Amino acid sequence: MKVCKYCGEINSNDSEYCCSCGKNNFIYQEEVRCPHCGEINDKSFEHCIFCGSTLKPHTHTHDEHDDSAPAVTPVDVREEMSAIYGGPYSETARCPHCNALVPIAAIFCSKCGTSVASLHEHRVVQRRVCPHCGRLNPLEAAYCTYCFCGLGEAATEDLQVTHESQNHGDIMIRQTYLEGLHGKKLICPNCNTLNPDDEVFCVNCGLKLEIDPIKKYCPNCGSENPSDSSFCSKCRWSFEGVNPDENVKWCCSHCEHVNSDEDAYCSNCGQKRKE
């Protein structure tokens, strides 16, 4: 997966532009491709978060190598699932610029960066209402994804796709909601689960839904920095193209951390600079 250096949003590996803010500067995470469905997962995962298949092969010695194993060709499982099951997989549109599939939660096309929120604005979709807990579920769901109650005779509800915008510095962040008679639900951009509009983390996959303050991610060491930083607080990398070695520095007498001349306090231990 790739982390956007501007807003911190996690994007799929094939995204050329951030699905949240539309920028195209990323930091890559260590990742592995699922041998069953071809989707990308974090390297630390043992099972694919998309299909549940085992990601880590059985332990082999260094001399063992299975040449007979067939090569896995990655496929876009969203298109295959759309043709078979419909439901949330079919709730997509085609990007007007590159013709890529964009789900209803998408703000920007992950292939070309084109703004696509207007493609789904005011679109009406249906969800099944669980008779036990009242939660909304995909139409093809046989059991409630929250309480596991059977949905055989569950009623359906029409909801409308809407968007809300928030300004964070010089970047506008938009989020997608489904609005119905009983209020609005925030759509998780990772798994399409509907969450209460004040939920901080997705109740299904754990993705953080609350928008964090904009950070700058250092391209040299990957550290987070405030959006108005001129230099990385950890390695002193310049965000403005200035060579850190060309700037006057001072060494902290307490921890010997090297700081910029403009710092009154040590960025490592907080010790006040001694003249």
Side-chain angles (χ1 to χ4, degrees), residues 120-126 157-163 176-181 183-185 187:
H120 298 286
E121 186 72 23
H122 302 308
R123 178 176 179 176
V124 176
V125 297
Q126 290 187 321
E157 181 177 337
D158 291 340
L159 300 107
Q160 182 178 219
V161 179
T162 60
H163 298 89
T176 309
Y177 294 83
L178 282 185
E179 190 170 359
L181 297 175
K184 61 182 181 180
K185 302 290 185 180
I187 303 178

Side-chain angles (χ1 to χ4, degrees), residues 15 25 66 169 229-230 251 260:
S15 300
N25 286 322
D66 188 5
S229 299
S230 298
C251 183
S260 174

Side-chain angles (χ1 to χ4, degrees), residues 234-245:
K234 183 176 181 180
C235 70
R236 308 308 298 173
W237 178 276
S238 172
F239 293 108
E240 300 174 354
V242 180
N243 188 343
D245 294 334

Side-chain angles (χ1 to χ4, degrees), residues 77-93:
V77 294
R78 291 173 297 181
E79 293 203 35
E80 293 187 354
M81 295 293 281
S82 175
I84 299 174
Y85 296 108
Y89 295 101
S90 63
E91 292 172 355
T92 58

Side-chain angles (χ1 to χ4, degrees), residues 19-58:
C19 62
S20 180
C21 70
K23 302 293 184 179
N24 64 345
N25 286 322
F26 298 98
I27 293 174
Y28 287 84
Q29 293 182 323
E30 287 189 302
E31 55 197 21
V32 63
R33 187 178 296 277
C34 174
H36 181 261
C37 68
E39 290 287 353
I40 297 297
N41 293 262
D42 190 272
K43 191 176 182 180
S44 62
F45 295 167
E46 294 186 359
H47 296 275
C48 176
I49 60 174
F50 297 93
C51 69
S53 299
T54 301
L55 296 174
K56 296 182 179 180
H58 296 293

Side-chain angles (χ1 to χ4, degrees), residues 231 236 244-252 257-267 273-275:
F231 294 89
R236 308 308 298 173
D245 294 334
E246 297 176 358
N247 294 276
V248 179
K249 300 177 181 180
W250 60 275
C251 183
C252 175
H257 180 73
V258 178
N259 298 272
S260 174
D261 187 57
E262 62 187 18
D263 296 340
Y265 293 84
C266 176
S267 61
R273 178 178 181 180
K274 293 182 180 180
E275 299 296 339

Side-chain angles (χ1 to χ4, degrees), residues 123-161:
R123 178 176 179 176
V124 176
V125 297
Q126 290 187 321
R127 293 290 184 269
R128 304 183 78 177
V129 183
C130 175
H132 181 260
C133 68
R135 297 291 189 97
L136 301 173
N137 294 266
L139 285 179
E140 79 281 5
Y143 297 91
C144 176
T145 55
Y146 303 92
C147 69
F148 304 106
C149 174
L151 299 176
E153 299 180 357
T156 60
E157 181 177 337
D158 291 340
L159 300 107
Q160 182 178 219
V161 179

